[in-house]
Amino acid sequence: AQTVTQSQPEMSVQEAETVTLSCTYDTSESDYYLFWYKQPPSRQMILVIRQEAYKQQNATENRFSVNFQKAAKSFSLKISDSQLGDAAMYFCAYRANYGQNFVFGPGTRLSVLP
Amino acid sequence: DTGVSQNPRHKITKRGQNVTFRCDPISEHNRLYWYRQTLGQGPEFLTYFQNEAQLEKSRLLSDRFSAERPKGSFSTLEIQRTEQGDSAMYLCASGGGTGELFFGEGSRLTVL
């Protein structure tokens, strides 16, 4: 079975600084998708960024970028120029290409310090 | 379209009672998911629909849980004979052609 691990239960970053959240996963599949979702306090989860496993180029969305290391099964999220609104729980998620079940990690709580 | 809508947002019930949650997905999405999330944890998969067909159900899901999606539109999740361990946030998400999930705000269940 696929599993997703986030080894950092909590992280903090100074406003305007850069922070990296870690995620590793375990799968025997070669074709899959990886996602980072953000869940602000008492708000719904929203997609931050996605990566297709067949793409070698790391995905980027404005201040958010990933470091996808397929051989190492690692998928970290880098947030640049952190803003107070980035404070939230961040979940890493995996979905096999031919499956529909999304597997989520336990999450990392990010605090942004003014 | 205002996104995925879930009702009720909060439900407090006594142990042994039945509860039902409703999810209205984004209208053009044919995939609908139910997840359960406990405090400080990631969402745990419960079940998945493609249109009106329930294609996958977690082995962890008790027989007290049932979900339906008549006509492939809204979905309901019913929990019978609730237990204190059922207390959690129940999340609904829908998906279309892009492969990603769009979540509702969740229905929080508290079983006393």
Side-chain angles (χ1 to χ4, degrees), chain A residues 1 33 35 37 39 42-47 50 52 89 91 95 99-107 109, chain B residues 4 9 31 33 35 37 40-45 48 50 56 59 91 98-106:
Chain A
Y33 297 87
F35 306 84
Y37 277 87
Q39 189 176 40
S42 302
R43 300 290 302 276
Q44 69 203 95
M45 283 214 289
I46 57 175
L47 178 70
R50 61 178 279 170
E52 291 86 348
M89 284 289 289
F91 294 98
R95 179 177 76 85
Q100 294 300 335
N101 180 11
F102 284 66
V103 179
F104 286 83
R109 182 177 302 280
Chain B
V4 179
R9 295 290 311 283
R31 294 181 289 118
Y33 301 75
Y35 281 83
Q37 185 179 26
Q41 299 298 314
E44 175 189 28
F45 172 76
Y48 156 68
Q50 176 96 12
E56 193 169 346
R59 286 171 290 177
L91 299 173
T98 60
E100 66 199 60
L101 293 182
F102 294 81
F103 283 86
E105 295 192 46

Side-chain angles (χ1 to χ4, degrees), chain B residues 19-92:
Chain B
V19 297
T20 300
F21 300 114
R22 175 179 169 127
C23 172
D24 288 89
I26 294 172
S27 57
E28 61 266 30
H29 287 176
N30 56 4
R31 294 181 289 118
L32 187 146
Y33 301 75
W34 285 99
Y35 281 83
R36 177 170 60 191
Q37 185 179 26
T38 53
L39 195 63
Q41 299 298 314
E44 175 189 28
F45 172 76
L46 294 179
T47 191
Y48 156 68
F49 290 85
Q50 176 96 12
N51 299 312
E52 68 275 9
Q54 187 174 19
L55 297 185
E56 193 169 346
K57 187 175 177 180
S58 170
R59 286 171 290 177
L60 302 175
L61 205 59
S62 160
D63 290 343
R64 297 183 295 104
F65 287 71
S66 62
E68 294 182 342
R69 192 183 182 195
K71 302 179 182 178
S73 56
F74 71 92
S75 175
T76 58
L77 176 68
E78 181 182 19
I79 308 174
Q80 297 181 324
R81 305 181 302 282
T82 53
E83 301 173 356
Q84 289 185 325
D86 297 331
S87 295
M89 179 74 83
Y90 290 86
L91 299 173
C92 177

